[in-house]
Every structure is written in structure tokens, then in C-alpha cells.
Amino acid sequence: LLEKMADVSLKEAALIVGVVAACYWNSLFCGFVFDDVSAILDNKDLHPSTPLKNLFQNDFWGTPMSEERSHKSYRPLTVLTFRLNYLFSELNAVSYHFLNLVFHVVVCLVFLKVCKLFLDNRSSVVASLLFAVHPIHTEAVTGVVGRAELLSSIFFLAAFLSYTKSKGPDNTIVWTPIAVTVFLVAVATLCKEQGITVVGICCVYEVFIAQGYTLPALLDTAVQILRGKGSIPFSMLQTLLKLIVLMFSTLLLVVVRVQVIQSQLPVFTRFDNPAAVSPSPARQLTFNYLLPVNAWLLLNPSELCCDWTMGTIPLVESLLDVRNVATLTFFCFLGSLMVFSLRYPGDSSKTVLMALCLIVLPFIPASNLFFPVGFVVAERVLYVPSMGFCILVAHGWKKLSNKSVLRKISWVCLAAVLFTHALKTLHRNWDWESEYTLFMSALKVNKNNAKLWNNVGHALENEKNFERALQFFIQATQVQPDDIGAHMNVGRTYKNLNKTKEAEESYMIAKSLMPQIIPGKKYAARVAPNHLNVYINLANLIRANESRLEEADQLYRQAISMRPDFKQAYISRGELLLKMNKPLKAKEAYLRALELDRTNADLWYNLAIVYIELKDPTEALKNFNRALELNPAHKLALFNSALLMQESGDARLRPEAKQRLLHYVKEEPQDSNGYFNLGMLAMDDKKDMEAEAWMKKAIRLQPNFRSALFNLALLYSQTGKELMALPVLEDLLRYYPDHTKGLILKGDILMNQKKDIVGAKMCFEKILQLDPNNVQGKHNLCVVYFEERDLIKAEKCLVETLALAPHEEYIQRHLNIVRSKIASLGAMEQSSLPSDGTAATEAKKNSFQNLKEAKSEKTTTQSATDNKKEHSKNKKSTEKSNVDKETPKKSTKEIKDIEKKRVAALKRLEEIERILNGE
């Protein structure tokens, strides 16, 4: 009979699906909010690159269970479903919300099947519809992290349904359903901890429903046995056997669960659950008062709030507090229902008993009865208890509708409840659209929770609205003056507004609120781990002042002394020590952090930077590679390791460097630095067209990209496209008028290609205005004077240049050439003065040609000298060209050929930045 009644018809299923879809369709337009950020956006366990075994080693939020900061929420199967979502749609929120909606439909259908075990068909559908539309479920369904409730509920109900089949004909035991039940309980528990409470419901079902005992009958039997007047009935022995198996399997699950959390309870602060750290009787009175508060939310879900921590519900500190009346009323009502269900036989009492079990037992883990929890009230934990509530309401409605006088009004009331609840659910879903809408809706319900003010501030901060965010953070400090996190938020926002003095004051207030060290007591257990960030934030602020670096280091060391496993303190201290030019100590800090977390790609990256500072590129590259093994898409490691390979000069590393840069530009398509360095690699490989394309792409993204503009002009100059280089140089000099090397290259092209002596002279004179001691610019100006046939001025100029660089042999050689030409020109003029000036003119022409050779030699030689810093490999070819040019007996044609084949001596004049924020 039970099996037949438990079947769900297609019409009933279609009705449930339609109602759920009508209530929750708009949840698909919501994003990731509140706890979703930690569980999904910041959880590396979702990424395919993370080993699957990590899901079973870490908590719900991706923190290793062994760490003290872990919340000890062990839900690997729920995280696995998040990972599947990520696999198919990455961080597209629609797919996550859709899967939650599907799971809620499944829960409603399985719940309908459970209801049919205790209610008639119509009442079961009513109970399932009430459950489907109840607004209290929006947090579990629309909030993505609520999936833990949904999944656990599916297996919770499935385990119970399986257990109902364990009674065979003639009261025999069927073991297969019991084995399935134990398995499903384990699965439910791996989705969320409360799944284990279904064992208690199975026990109550076995004794009072399957065996039909009432409490008086059990007491009578027990008394008879104790008096020796009777033996234990066989049916009762079978029941005891089944219960022992259930209890033993449950105990085994509990032992495994305790081992998983390593016998450590999570660390919560008094802000999370103020009553948990309050003295008696306030603690007991408040915890008892929270029970009617939760019951009221089920009965009247008009004012819902996503966060009930901190000062949301003031402590009940006295027996005279009027709220104790609500507590007393609640227990009286609950007690009367329990007496009715346990004392009297009949279907009605059995229905009430199972409803009470569904309300009470799954709520026990959240009741603070056995251990404190990290919240005061949480709407999502009422997901399963609301099933019992819906059964009670449906059962009561059935009683009323069976009376002819109340039949119509009962139907009207039911329709009104279903309609208003559905509207409320639909409206409530929009609150979860964004963090701002969610926390603003919560502030309408409760203005005494500093956490809500803080969270609205965070939402505004994420939108870069720092001024408005600051108002909410300040309000949080006024609502809860001793909230360390609120003062930290104020300080951070002042810092974002560049108000460093106010930021430091706020951080100092937060620091003063930290608990004082008590000798012999572990510090870490008395403070939230994230509150220690006040030391990090304060140190990060003051280290901007070069004179306070030691003070910042002292703060980092203080944080480490309070918590030796404080990884972030080591990381931040390592960065500071690098700034203080103490790379060896920075290396120690990073190695200590790696002892705490060897799977952190950022730490290996930072260690690579330290090795670069220690001038050990081989070790640096090894650490970059380790970072990329852990995170193949680590953008900074891709970029900087490619640069390191490029700068090594090892041609064998260039293909891998190119692949990493290509991967980088795929990850960061709008960063011009990636394309620029691909261009530099192509120049190294003599792939001129490819280099030109990459440089142009970098300039399109960043028109004022100094290095890209200069190197593109240089590339044109090297490949005989000097005239194409000129407009590029014009752009470069428009953005950077004092770019000396750009001016030199422009002057060289104007003199040698366009024969624009005036333009070249302006370039070289501009260089000397910027730097009067620039040897290259000074020498090239001397050449201009010679081109202008002013040999005396050219001589004087070369003398001055030689004084600036007395060891440069080529300047002395060119000075000797000019002086010899002046002397020979004077002698020729004296000997041929009476005749025509043809000979003198020819001599002058030859001297100009000779100096043009010298000028060409200078241009290449001086440029090559300037580039020895980066690419000495070009030195040999440059010197060879200069030797060719030294021969004084070259024809005009040969000289022009030499000019056309000028060596690319200006190559790589700009430094390649190793970090992204450079040029």
C-alpha cells in the first residue's frame, strides 16, 4: 500500500516543475554573491588543473582541512558539482543557478514521494507545493552555495525512502535497503554535514511507524521485562538489531568525520556568534530564544535577511527579558505536539511525529546544542526542517478542509498562502542579483549588523565608488565600535582615496582592538585569522615611506610571531626585503612560505624574482617553470620567463620564449608589452616582416609606446626602409621630445638619406641642449659643420668632442683628417690663386667625400659603442664595416654603396622591461 501511494504521477510532477519554474526563473539572472565569491570565484578546487584529490583534502571553500583557518565544512561532492559547472561553462553564473533550480525540482519531487507515505494524495501535493514556493528557500536555491542543502536533501530523502523498504513480509529484515540507506547517508553527509541526521529519522520511523509502538506501550514492555515478568518479543529484537546496525554505521561515519577535521573545531569570533562566547545564563537564554526566531521565519517569512550575525539579534541576558515569553510559548507548543504524537496511536499522530522529526533532528547541528556554529540564524539551514513544517501545515489543512463549514475558507486560505509565498519568492530572488542589492535588502530588515554595512561598502568598493563605500564602512564602526574588520575597511578605503594619514589612524585603531597576548594561551585560537591582516595592511601602507621600512618590517615580524603559519606575512615581508635590497633575507621569507604552501604558484614566481635580483637567471627560470607547472596560465610567470629566455641570448630558448609570449597575449590580448616582446624576438631571429607586424600591433594598442616606436623605426632603418622610419620617429619625438637616441637616428636618416643638413643639424643641436656632454650628438654636429663647408668650425667642434672623450681613437683620427684637409686646401689655394679655382674646388669636394666616410664611420662606431650594454654580438660585424670605410681611396660609387649598406648599429638601444608596468 505504501509503495503504491508513494508513486508520483506525471501530472503531479508537471505541476511541481511548473510552479518551481514560475517562482525561480529570475534566479537565472543573478550573479555570484556573498559566500559564492569564496566558494566559487576564489576556489581553486574548481579549476581542471587542480588534482581531484584536493577536493577530498580541502574544505568547502578550498582551504586545506589541516589549516586552522579552515571552516571544517567538508562537502567534497558539492564542490565536485561546482567543478562540473566550471568544466562546461567556467564562471558563467547562469549554469550554476540553473543546476540549483533543477536540484530544487528533484527535492520537491522526492519530498512529494515521502509525503505520500504519511498523507493522502491531495495533502501530499499541498505539502510539496508549499515547500516548492516557500520564500525561506531563496537562500538555498538562488544562492549558489545553497547547493549543499539541495544535494544533501536529495540523498537525505532517498536514504529515508530506501529504509522504508527494509521491512519484509512477516516483519522480516530486508538488508539490501539498509545497506543502500547507509551508503546514501554517507553520500548525503559528503554533500553537507546535516545529512547524517536522517539516521535518527529512520530510527524513529522504525520504532513508531513500522513497528507501530507508542511511548506508553514501550514503557509498559520495559517495566515488564525489568520485573522479570516477560521476555523481549522477537519483533522487538529484530528492531533492536536494525537500530544497532544503523547506529554503528552512523558512529563509523562520525569517527571518519572527526578524523577529517583532525579533531579540531573551526575558530569563530564573537562577532560571528555573540551568544557562543557569552556567560551563563545569557548564552542558554539566547540559544533557546533562537528556536522560536527560526520557527517564526517558517511561519512568517516576510522579513528575510542574508546575514543574522553580530548585533542582529541582541543577547537575552535576563530572565525578565520579554522575549523569554516567546521561548516558553514555543516549547509548550512543541511539547504538546510531541506528547500527542508519542502517546496516541493512529495515522494522525504518526504524521505529526514524522513532521516533528523532520523539523527537529536536521536542525540539531545548527542549534549550538553540541558545538558552537559560525552564525546566529541562517535561512538556508531551514531547508530540510521546512519539510516537516510543510507536512504539519498540509496535515492541518486536511483536517480543516474535511469539515464542510471550513472547506471553502480552507481552500481560499491555501490559495492565498501559495500565491503570496510564490510572489515573495519571486521578489526575493531579485535581491540576490548582485551583492549591492542583496546587502541593501538586508539593511532594510536589520540596521544593527555591522557586517551588512561592511558588505555594502565592499560592493561599492568593487565598483570603485570609494567615497560612498567609506560612508558605509564608517557606519559599520559606529554600529559595532569594536569591530576590527570595519576599522580595517575604513583604513583601506582611505588608502584608496590617497588619504594616508587617515588610513594609518584607522589601522592603528584596529590594531589596538586586537586581543592582548595571554601567557600560555595560544594566540591564534582567540582571533580570526583575517584580523591579523591589520599588521599586513598597516605595514604595506607605511612602507611607501622609505624612512619607515624598518618599522614596516617590524610589523610583519610581529604578525609572524603571533601566527608562525601566517603565509601572507612571509610573502609581504619578502616583497619588503627586496625593496630594502636584502634579497637573501627575502629568499628566506619565501622559502618559509613555501614550506607552508608548496602549491602556490605566486610564491614560486616571487622566488624567481628574488633569484633575478641575486643575478642567478638559471634558478630564476627554474622557479618560473615551477610556477607554470602549478598554474600554466600564470600571466606574470609566462611574460617574465619569456623575457629571461630572450635576454639569455641562447637561440635554443627562443622558440619556447615565443610560445610563452603567444600564450601570454592570449591571456592578456590588450597588453601591448606582449606584442612588443614578440617583435623583439622576431628581430633576434631576423624575421623582419613578423617583427614589423608585432611592433605595429603593440603601437595600435598603445600609440605612445616608447620602446615599440623606436624599435620599429630602427627595424626600418636596418632593412633599407629609412624613409618609412621617419614618420615613426616623428610620432616618437612628439610623445617624447627628449628621446636622445630617436633624435640621433632621425638626424642620421635626414643627413644620409634625405640630404637634409638643416634638419639633421636641428636634431643634433637639440641633443646637446638636453645633454651638452653627449659625445655622439656632439660628433655628429661636427660632421654637419663639415657638410656646411665650415672646416674651422668643424675642427673646433672635434677638439671639444675629443676633450669629452679623449680615449676615443676615431675622434682623433677624424680631427686629423679635417686638419689635413684644411692644410692641403690652404696650400692648393696659394699655388693656384692666379688661375681659376677648379683645382681648389675639386680638392674641397674630395675632402668632403673623405669626411662623409668618416661621418659614416662615426655614426656606426658610436652607435655600436652605445649598444655594447645589450648586444655585444653585433660588435664584430660593425668593426668590419668600419675597417672597410677607413680606406681613403674609395670612389664616389663605393662610398654611396657603403651608405646604402650601413650596418644596423643602433639595434636594441632601449632596455626591455622585465615587469609589466614598464614601457
Side-chain angles (χ1 to χ4, degrees):
L1 179 63
L2 285 176
E3 188 67 34
K4 185 179 179 181
M5 289 187 66
D7 289 335
V8 176
S9 71
L10 189 61
K11 286 183 180 179
E12 291 167 342
L15 176 63
I16 297 295
V17 171
V19 168
V20 171
C23 288
Y24 286 99
W25 63 269
N26 57 340
S27 69
L28 301 179
F29 300 96
C30 298
F32 296 116
V33 297
F34 203 16
D35 290 340
D36 298 348
V37 176
S38 300
I40 295 164
L41 299 184
D42 298 339
N43 192 346
K44 292 180 181 178
D45 288 347
L46 271 63
H47 301 168
S49 57
T50 304
L52 270 174
K53 65 177 183 179
N54 284 25
L55 272 64
F56 295 90
Q57 296 172 348
N58 299 343
D59 67 12
F60 188 51
W61 318 97
T63 306
M65 293 291 289
S66 57
E67 292 190 14
E68 188 177 358
R69 63 192 178 95
S70 168
H71 281 214
K72 313 300 180 188
S73 308
Y74 190 65
R75 304 163 191 172
L77 295 186
T78 303
V79 180
L80 183 61
T81 66
F82 291 151
R83 184 165 172 141
L84 290 172
N85 269 121
Y86 188 93
L87 186 65
F88 289 106
S89 64
E90 293 196 351
L91 294 176
N92 181 1
V94 174
S95 73
Y96 293 79
H97 287 293
F98 178 74
L99 198 54
N100 271 25
L101 195 153
V102 170
F103 285 144
H104 183 53
V105 168
V106 174
V107 174
C108 292
L109 292 174
V110 181
F111 176 58
L112 174 59
K113 196 166 184 176
V114 170
C115 289
K116 291 191 175 188
L117 298 175
F118 312 109
L119 296 169
D120 61 31
N121 218 42
R122 189 172 62 185
S123 302
S124 298
V125 173
V126 167
S128 187
L129 286 174
L130 282 169
F131 180 79
V133 304
H134 204 296
I136 202 74
H137 299 155
T138 49
E139 184 171 341
V141 181
T142 310
V144 178
V145 293
R147 185 177 299 176
E149 317 290 336
L150 306 176
L151 283 172
S152 180
S153 299
I154 291 171
F155 295 108
F156 178 101
L157 295 174
F160 176 70
L161 284 173
S162 176
Y163 187 80
T164 59
K165 300 173 184 177
S166 65
K167 182 181 177 181
D170 301 323
N171 210 22
T172 56
I173 301 175
V174 184
W175 289 107
T176 302
I178 294 176
V180 172
T181 297
V182 172
F183 171 75
L184 291 172
V185 169
V187 173
T189 306
L190 290 175
C191 294
K192 192 177 180 185
E193 298 78 3
Q194 70 180 28
I196 202 168
T197 60
V198 71
V199 172
I201 294 173
C202 290
C203 291
V204 173
Y205 173 84
E206 176 64 32
V207 175
F208 296 101
I209 310 300
Q211 301 301 327
Y213 294 115
T214 61
L215 190 59
L218 283 175
L219 291 174
D220 287 343
T221 304
V223 168
Q224 293 296 327
I225 293 169
L226 289 173
R227 288 178 177 177
K229 294 183 178 179
S231 60
I232 302 175
F234 180 71
S235 61
M236 190 172 285
L237 285 172
Q238 285 187 310
T239 300
L240 282 172
L241 181 60
K242 290 170 75 173
L243 295 183
I244 288 169
V245 170
L246 273 180
M247 299 306 282
F248 178 78
S249 60
T250 305
L251 185 62
L252 192 63
L253 281 174
V254 170
V255 169
V256 171
R257 184 69 175 83
V258 170
Q259 287 297 314
V260 165
I261 66 170
Q262 300 185 358
S263 303
Q264 292 179 336
L265 288 174
V267 177
F268 298 117
T269 68
R270 59 191 176 86
F271 300 114
D272 297 318
N273 190 350
V277 295
S278 299
S280 299
R283 181 169 62 242
Q284 290 78 14
L285 290 174
T286 304
F287 283 157
N288 283 314
Y289 172 66
L290 293 179
L291 299 176
V293 169
N294 281 279
W296 181 251
L297 286 174
L298 289 173
L299 193 62
N300 179 30
S302 59
E303 292 188 339
L304 299 177
C305 181
C306 62
D307 194 316
W308 295 79
T309 56
M310 303 188 88
T312 305
I313 299 175
L315 296 173
V316 182
E317 298 179 301
S318 167
L319 288 169
L320 300 177
D321 193 311
V322 70
R323 289 175 293 175
N324 289 319
V325 175
T327 306
L328 189 62
T329 304
F330 171 78
F331 278 110
C332 288
F333 181 71
L334 188 67
S336 62
L337 286 176
M338 289 181 69
V339 169
F340 169 75
S341 60
L342 291 171
R343 185 172 181 179
Y344 301 105
D347 291 340
S348 183
S349 60
K350 290 178 181 178
T351 301
V352 172
L353 179 61
M354 293 311 300
L356 288 176
C357 286
L358 280 169
I359 293 172
V360 174
L361 295 178
F363 187 75
I364 286 176
S367 66
N368 292 284
L369 189 62
F370 297 111
F371 47 82
V373 293
F375 53 83
V376 178
V377 172
E379 292 165 12
R380 61 175 173 266
V381 304
L382 293 174
Y383 190 76
V384 176
S386 68
M387 295 178 185
F389 173 78
C390 291
I391 289 175
L392 272 182
V393 173
H395 183 58
W397 173 83
K398 172 190 168 186
K399 295 287 186 184
L400 291 174
S401 63
N402 284 341
K403 296 180 180 180
S404 57
V405 180
L406 300 173
R407 183 173 300 159
K408 287 185 179 179
I409 196 168
S410 66
W411 277 100
V412 170
C413 290
L414 176 65
V417 168
L418 288 173
F419 181 72
T420 54
H421 277 43
L423 278 183
K424 174 66 177 177
T425 299
L426 192 66
H427 182 263
R428 175 66 174 157
N429 287 334
W430 289 121
D431 291 342
W432 292 80
E433 185 178 12
S434 68
E435 294 214 316
Y436 179 76
T437 56
L438 178 64
F439 297 125
M440 285 301 290
S441 71
L443 280 176
K444 292 175 185 175
V445 175
N446 169 37
K447 291 181 171 58
N448 296 322
N449 186 342
K451 193 173 176 183
L452 293 175
W453 293 99
N454 279 321
N455 284 332
V456 175
H458 287 310
L460 292 167
E461 188 179 30
N462 291 337
E463 296 172 1
K464 308 297 181 187
N465 191 347
F466 298 121
E467 290 84 357
R468 192 146 174 254
L470 182 61
Q471 297 172 9
F472 282 88
F473 289 142
I474 290 174
Q475 183 63 35
T477 63
Q478 292 171 355
V479 170
Q480 190 87 35
D482 58 351
D483 181 8
I484 296 170
H487 290 286
M488 288 169 63
N489 292 335
V490 171
R492 186 182 62 256
T493 311
Y494 273 131
K495 182 184 177 184
N496 289 331
L497 292 169
N498 296 317
K499 296 181 178 180
T500 53
K501 182 183 176 183
E502 292 88 345
E504 185 173 347
E505 288 172 357
S506 296
Y507 285 140
M508 291 302 291
I509 293 171
K511 183 170 173 282
S512 69
L513 292 169
M514 295 289 285
Q516 299 302 306
I517 295 176
I518 300 172
K521 188 165 185 180
K522 191 177 180 184
Y523 188 90
R526 296 182 299 107
V527 65
N530 63 313
H531 284 173
L532 281 174
N533 283 325
V534 67
Y535 293 96
I536 306 299
N537 294 349
L538 183 56
N540 290 347
L541 179 71
I542 65 175
R543 79 182 195 187
N545 185 340
E546 295 289 337
S547 65
R548 301 180 71 183
L549 297 182
E550 288 293 343
E551 187 182 345
D553 190 34
Q554 177 63 32
L555 285 166
Y556 291 136
R557 283 185 278 132
Q558 190 175 354
I560 290 168
S561 68
M562 291 176 175
R563 194 181 185 92
D565 64 346
F566 193 10
K567 180 177 63 181
Q568 187 56 47
Y570 292 107
I571 295 171
S572 298
R573 185 167 184 247
E575 293 169 359
L576 176 67
L577 290 167
L578 272 179
K579 187 176 181 179
M580 295 170 73
N581 199 25
K582 297 179 180 179
L584 287 173
K585 286 190 174 181
K587 177 183 169 184
E588 289 176 14
Y590 286 131
L591 288 173
R592 179 72 183 94
L594 280 168
E595 288 175 15
L596 298 170
D597 183 6
R598 298 191 68 81
T599 62
N600 189 322
D602 292 335
L603 280 175
W604 292 103
Y605 169 81
N606 289 349
L607 190 58
I609 298 298
V610 171
Y611 279 116
I612 287 175
E613 294 296 324
L614 290 170
K615 305 293 188 291
D616 190 346
T618 305
E619 279 300 315
L621 190 56
K622 284 181 183 176
N623 285 283
F624 279 137
N625 291 341
R626 187 65 189 271
L628 290 169
E629 285 172 15
L630 293 167
N631 180 8
H634 194 293
K635 290 179 280 192
L636 287 174
L638 285 168
F639 183 83
N640 286 295
S641 62
L643 258 62
L644 201 60
M645 292 174 176
Q646 185 178 358
E647 290 174 352
S648 71
D650 189 344
R652 294 171 299 177
L653 294 177
R654 283 185 205 151
E656 178 60 24
K658 182 178 180 180
Q659 289 304 312
R660 292 189 182 187
L661 285 172
L662 287 170
H663 190 171
Y664 175 77
V665 296
K666 184 180 177 183
E667 296 287 332
E668 286 285 342
Q670 297 303 310
D671 185 6
S672 54
N673 289 283
Y675 301 107
F676 167 71
N677 284 286
L678 279 166
M680 298 305 280
L681 268 178
M683 286 178 74
D684 286 341
D685 289 332
K686 311 298 181 189
K687 297 177 180 177
D688 298 331
M689 291 182 66
E690 185 180 331
E692 179 184 354
W694 289 124
M695 291 293 182
K696 284 182 174 179
K697 189 154 190 178
I699 293 166
R700 277 199 299 273
L701 288 170
Q702 186 182 339
N704 65 339
F705 195 157
R706 176 177 170 140
S707 298
L709 287 166
F710 179 77
N711 281 285
L712 179 59
L714 189 60
L715 178 65
Y716 285 143
S717 175
Q718 292 169 4
T719 53
K721 301 176 182 176
E722 288 88 347
L723 296 181
M724 292 179 68
L726 276 178
V728 179
L729 288 168
E730 292 290 348
D731 288 341
L732 172 68
L733 295 169
R734 185 172 73 252
Y735 291 116
Y736 308 101
D738 57 350
H739 195 291
T740 305
K741 292 162 188 170
L743 287 166
I744 289 171
L745 183 57
K746 182 182 176 184
D748 179 52
I749 294 172
L750 288 174
M751 180 139 39
N752 287 292
Q753 300 301 316
K754 298 202 75 175
K755 312 301 179 186
D756 182 358
I757 306 300
V758 176
K761 184 177 181 180
M762 289 173 63
C763 289
F764 301 137
E765 286 176 340
K766 178 71 180 291
I767 292 168
L768 294 177
Q769 289 174 10
L770 297 167
D771 179 12
N773 296 323
N774 187 295
V775 176
Q776 188 176 358
K778 183 83 171 173
H779 181 274
N780 288 359
L781 186 60
C782 300
V783 176
V784 171
Y785 291 150
F786 195 92
E787 291 285 355
E788 292 177 340
R789 294 173 171 76
D790 193 342
L791 295 180
I792 303 301
K793 202 168 184 179
E795 180 190 20
K796 181 184 177 184
C797 178
L798 284 167
V799 169
E800 292 172 355
T801 308
L802 188 62
L804 292 173
H807 302 295
E808 292 290 354
E809 180 270 335
Y810 72 90
I811 300 176
Q812 181 65 60
R813 188 167 68 251
H814 296 169
L815 179 59
N816 293 338
I817 292 171
V818 171
R819 283 175 172 169
S820 68
K821 298 310 174 188
I822 291 173
S824 64
L825 189 59
M828 289 175 68
E829 283 177 349
Q830 287 177 6
S831 63
S832 60
L833 190 58
S835 63
D836 62 19
T838 307
T841 305
E842 187 63 34
K844 189 178 286 188
K845 181 179 177 184
N846 290 337
S847 68
F848 289 148
Q849 294 290 358
N850 286 336
L851 189 57
K852 200 174 286 184
E853 265 183 55
K855 193 274 304 179
S856 263
E857 179 188 349
K858 159 63 194 88
T859 303
T860 54
T861 304
Q862 185 63 20
S863 298
T865 304
D866 193 53
N867 275 285
K868 283 178 186 175
K869 291 177 186 176
E870 288 195 67
H871 289 273
S872 58
K873 60 185 177 180
N874 293 324
K875 186 177 177 183
K876 187 181 286 185
S877 62
T878 303
E879 286 176 348
K880 183 176 184 293
S881 298
N882 293 338
V883 171
D884 291 342
K885 292 175 187 174
E886 273 189 68
T887 309
K889 296 181 181 179
K890 292 210 177 283
S891 67
T892 304
K893 183 175 183 303
E894 287 174 319
I895 292 167
K896 287 181 179 178
D897 288 342
I898 290 170
E899 287 179 8
K900 289 179 181 178
K901 297 175 181 178
R902 284 183 311 109
V903 181
L906 292 173
K907 186 175 182 182
R908 206 61 67 83
L909 293 173
E910 298 290 286
E911 293 245 342
I912 300 173
E913 296 273 346
R914 285 196 302 267
I915 54 176
L916 285 175
N917 61 352
E919 288 186 355

